[in-house]
Amino acid sequence: MDVRLSPLSSQTLGGLKSLSAGKSAGAGGLGATGAGGGVAESFKSALREVSKAQNEASSLQTRVQMGDPKVSLEETMLAMQKAQIGFQATLHVRNRMVQAYTDIMNMSV
């Protein structure tokens, strides 16, 4: 299994810059147009990628079941595993985000 970390994109770096600018400007919270938008957009794009992988795996699975000679069983199984791993990773990230939110909301001020 080949797992590689990709370098930070300019969109991610822009989100980090706006986050630090919001903190230095004394922003009271993360608004929809502030630094939270960068995180939200990153999460949305990750969800779109996972959905795309799941749709591709489903399409390949259907084509194999219909007997399409152009699609191999190995290719289909690989696509299904990639979609499953992507979904599990996204689920773990979501759970961590919910836990972080819960921890922050339970902090005493």
Side-chain angles (χ1 to χ4, degrees):
M1 175 154 96
D2 187 22
V3 178
R4 295 183 185 168
L5 297 175
S6 61
L8 292 174
S9 66
S10 59
Q11 180 184 13
T12 305
L13 290 176
L16 291 176
K17 286 179 185 175
S18 66
L19 178 61
S20 63
K23 284 184 179 177
S24 64
L30 297 176
T33 60
V39 173
E41 285 302 317
S42 296
F43 196 64
K44 284 180 186 178
S45 69
L47 286 175
R48 281 188 215 108
E49 290 296 320
V50 169
S51 178
K52 185 172 128 181
Q54 288 177 332
N55 289 338
E56 180 184 340
S58 177
S59 172
L60 287 173
Q61 187 178 13
T62 302
R63 289 173 60 189
V64 164
Q65 289 173 347
M66 294 294 193
D68 188 352
K70 296 178 186 173
V71 180
S72 69
L73 181 60
E74 294 83 9
E75 178 185 10
T76 304
M77 294 301 291
L78 184 63
M80 290 171 60
Q81 287 298 314
K82 283 182 181 180
Q84 182 181 10
I85 289 170
F87 178 75
Q88 288 174 348
T90 305
L91 186 64
H92 286 297
V93 169
R94 191 232 21 172
N95 289 341
R96 292 268 176 119
M97 289 173 70
V98 169
Q99 184 63 44
Y101 176 78
T102 304
D103 291 344
I104 290 170
M105 293 307 292
N106 288 332
M107 286 182 182
S108 61
V109 178

